[in-house]
Amino acid sequence: MIRIDEIWLAREPLDMRAGPDTTLARVVQSFGEARPHCAYLFANKRANRMKVLVHDGFGLWLAARRLHKGKFSWCALREGRAIALDKEQLQALVVGLPWQHAGGAATISVL
């Protein structure tokens, strides 16, 4: 089992031909460092492909996902700071659902 404590969504697109070293360089460029037990998510320009880089404390995991129909519900802004996601938001994102309304973001509180 791969332990993931933090999940970060990058706003800028990534060339999906990038391998682990190029993706790691983008993580360092975008986030400052690749911290253990963190997942870093990137999409291509069309947002129909995603890569996830995970630093497990010993090495790197690089996973790719492609949607055959539709696209991932990515952040509309291409610039700015990365976005932290929770596990429920990640689950929604990887199946193509709007993650912005899942997990902790869907909480309703009394005013």
Side-chain angles (χ1 to χ4, degrees):
M1 197 72 161
I2 301 170
R3 183 178 128 205
I4 298 175
D5 296 334
E6 295 178 19
I7 304 162
W8 294 96
L9 180 80
R11 292 184 183 226
E12 294 183 18
L14 177 72
D15 182 350
M16 290 295 117
R17 296 173 292 181
D21 294 330
T22 304
T23 306
L24 176 60
R26 176 61 75 84
V27 167
V28 172
Q29 174 189 2
S30 299
F31 301 94
E33 62 184 347
R35 295 183 315 205
H37 311 294
C38 290
Y40 302 93
L41 286 65
F42 296 91
N44 63 344
K45 286 182 183 177
R46 290 185 286 175
N48 65 343
R49 294 175 188 232
M50 177 193 318
K51 281 207 173 176
V52 180
L53 183 88
V54 177
H55 178 4
D56 67 0
F58 301 103
L60 300 174
W61 294 84
L62 183 63
R65 181 159 175 87
R66 177 179 60 177
L67 294 178
H68 292 288
K69 287 186 177 182
K71 61 182 188 175
F72 295 106
S73 178
W74 215 258
C75 180
L77 300 174
R78 293 288 187 192
E79 295 180 8
R81 298 186 63 167
I83 300 168
L85 302 180
D86 61 29
K87 292 182 182 186
E88 290 83 13
Q89 290 173 320
L90 175 63
Q91 292 298 319
L93 176 65
V94 298
V95 295
L97 296 174
W99 58 269
Q100 296 89 339
H101 305 292
T107 302
I108 298 174
S109 62
V110 177
L111 297 175

